[in-house]
Amino acid sequence: MKHTDFGSMPCPIARSLGKVGEWWSILILRDAFYGLTRFDEFEKSLKIAPNMLTRRLAGLVEGGLMERRQYSARPPRYEYVLTKAGRDFKPVLLAFVAWGNDHLAPEGASLLVVSRETGKPADQVLVDANSGLAINDEDYMFAPGPAATDVMRSRLIQINQPGRA
């Protein structure tokens, strides 16, 4: 099955999905944040077929989110560690945790993000680091960046018109 190459699309969401859009890839990244690094650890945790895991790990390495490092010469053994780009994916995983707990966990949360100091659960919001304000629909909107296409600029003009929800 041939997949669409999102890497050449001007949309940052599409490009991001091109790197981590497969659910296995996101779960591998989750497990890497839990401290797993070795093939057999990922395989056991995810109960994933070895050939599928091999492909997903190779894709994450090729995409720059993980690095493959040899930790044993005889026999040759490798571990997979997060790169800076991989570590920078953490806020996306945190957003999945918050959204999943809010909308998909009628039995209650199975995973929380808590303060190391107090142990109290965080009330996660996306914050503008420049102003300290929570990013919301009333105060923030999408705007074209320097590399925006004419199509994207036109779309953003339409959705940003006053009175449009």
Side-chain angles (χ1 to χ4, degrees), residues 64-134:
L65 285 99
M66 297 188 90
E67 180 182 346
R68 183 176 182 238
R69 293 183 188 161
Q70 188 170 1
Y71 69 87
S72 173
R74 291 183 185 252
R77 299 268 189 229
Y78 298 89
E79 64 180 355
Y80 297 85
V81 295
L82 294 165
T83 62
K84 180 178 182 332
R87 291 187 304 275
D88 286 349
F89 191 74
K90 190 170 188 176
V92 178
L93 288 177
L94 295 176
F96 270 116
V97 169
W99 186 81
N101 282 342
D102 287 350
H103 299 285
L104 304 173
E107 71 285 358
S110 62
L111 176 65
L112 297 172
V113 177
V114 300
S115 166
R116 287 184 191 274
E117 185 178 324
T118 67
K120 292 183 180 179
D123 184 13
Q124 296 183 154
V125 295
L126 187 58
V127 174
D128 176 358
N130 295 315
S131 68
L133 298 174

Side-chain angles (χ1 to χ4, degrees), residues 9-29:
M9 292 183 176
C11 174
I13 296 170
R15 286 181 178 177
S16 298
L17 285 172
K19 297 293 182 191
V20 296
E22 300 281 343
W23 59 78
W24 285 120
S25 298
I26 294 171
L27 293 174
I28 291 167
L29 291 169

